[in-house]
């Protein structure tokens, strides 16, 4: 259960106070909140967080950014029968008082791993770099800014996801993509499941996600592939290609390199 604490640097705009993953999460109650911005994300199992009298579940991949001094409590959801493990980050820095402007809000932000950005992968990468002592303070500051920018998009998505069109068409399609990415999914099939045309579904995807339906599906598959490459060394590239929905390993390698600048094998070696 790696956890790292770093001294707060007053000379950097963004700094990392602590970070950890694979954390066996106990119950926590903070009536006065925490002194720094705190990102908490479920890695496995399920937790619940209490905010402003509401009890909100945190499933795997889902997380919340808590502003400083926000009263809260969180605890494992014992009904799942699984141990709750989390990833977390606490942030500060010279520009900490400007974080609400960067994020677009001073309220908690709920977000989850998505094809554009995986918070889980970001944390695991930073932890790995810290373990190998290959991350300097300037790089850390830049990485923290990247995290904040994607969390600001998470807030924008929070607003978008309340729209009726998102709820009716995009939400079920995203669920289908995230649970059936290994299947032979097409835009036509996805559109048929929500009873609209492929063209209209793609227009809605562009409106709410900034991507076409096909791009969202492809990014989901590639993000799953990254996780498999990183955490399942025993699986061959051919096996992973098939498991994330590619019928051709050569096509998988080609697309992976186009998107990431390296082949799957090179990515795995770090």
């Amino acid at each position: 259960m790696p956890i790292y604490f770093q001294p707060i640097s007053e000379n950097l705009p963004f700094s990392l106070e602590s970070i950890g993953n694979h954390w066996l999460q106990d119950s926590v109650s903070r009536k006065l909140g925490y002194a720094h911005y705190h990102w908490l994300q479920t890695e496995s199992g399920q937790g619940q967080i209490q905010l402003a009298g509401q009890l909100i579940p945190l499933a795997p991949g889902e997380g919340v950014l808590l502003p400083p001094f926000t009263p809260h409590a969180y605890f494992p959801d014992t009904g799942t029968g699984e141990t709750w493990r989390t990833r977390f980050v606490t942030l500060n820095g010279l520009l900490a008082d400007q974080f609400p402007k960067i994020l677009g809000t001073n309220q908690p932000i709920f977000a989850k791993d998505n094809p554009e950005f995986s918070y889980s992968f970001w944390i695991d990468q930073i932890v790995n770099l810290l373990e190998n002592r290959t991350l300097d303070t300037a790089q850390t500051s830049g990485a923290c800014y990247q995290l904040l920018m994607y969390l600001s998009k998470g807030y924008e998505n929070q607003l978008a996801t309340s729209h009726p069109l998102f709820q009716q068409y995009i939400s079920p399609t995203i669920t289908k993509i995230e649970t059936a990415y290994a299947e032979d999914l097409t835009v036509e099939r996805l559109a048929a499941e929500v009873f609209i045309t492929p063209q209209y579904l793609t227009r809605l995807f562009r409106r709410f996600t900034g991507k076409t339906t096909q791009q969202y599906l492809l990014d989901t598959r590639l993000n799953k592939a990254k996780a498999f490459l990183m955490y399942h060394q025993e699986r061959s590239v051919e096996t992973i290609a098939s498991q994330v929905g590619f019928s051709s390993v050569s096509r998988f390698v080609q697309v992976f390199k186009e998107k990431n600048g390296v082949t799957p094998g090179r990515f795995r070696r770090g």
Side-chain angles (χ1 to χ4, degrees), residues 189-206:
R189 176 181 166 186
L190 292 167
E193 295 207 3
V194 290
F195 307 104
I196 57 176
T197 67
Q199 294 79 9
Y200 186 47
L201 180 62
T202 293
R203 285 203 299 273
L204 290 176
F205 256 87
R206 280 193 182 278

Side-chain angles (χ1 to χ4, degrees), residues 171-181 183 185 189-190 193:
S171 181
T173 304
I174 286 176
T175 298
K176 181 67 175 181
I177 289 172
E178 291 181 347
T179 56
Y181 56 86
E183 298 178 13
L185 293 182
R189 176 181 166 186
L190 292 167
E193 295 207 3

Side-chain angles (χ1 to χ4, degrees), residues 1-5 18-24 43 85-89 123-124 126-132 231:
M1 297 186 292
I3 177 172
Y4 291 90
F5 292 93
S18 68
I19 187 169
N21 58 2
H22 315 323
W23 189 254
L24 184 58
E43 182 174 316
R85 292 186 182 273
T86 62
R87 295 179 172 94
F88 62 88
V89 181
I123 290 172
D124 291 346
I126 298 297
V127 168
N128 184 58
L129 290 170
L130 288 170
E131 285 179 337
N132 294 305
Y231 300 117

Side-chain angles (χ1 to χ4, degrees), residues 39 55 60 92 98 106 122 127 138 141 144 146 175 212 265:
W39 168 254
L55 198 59
N92 205 329
Q98 298 298 310
N106 61 357
W122 184 94
V127 168
S141 186
C144 290
Q146 179 193 38
T175 298
T212 66

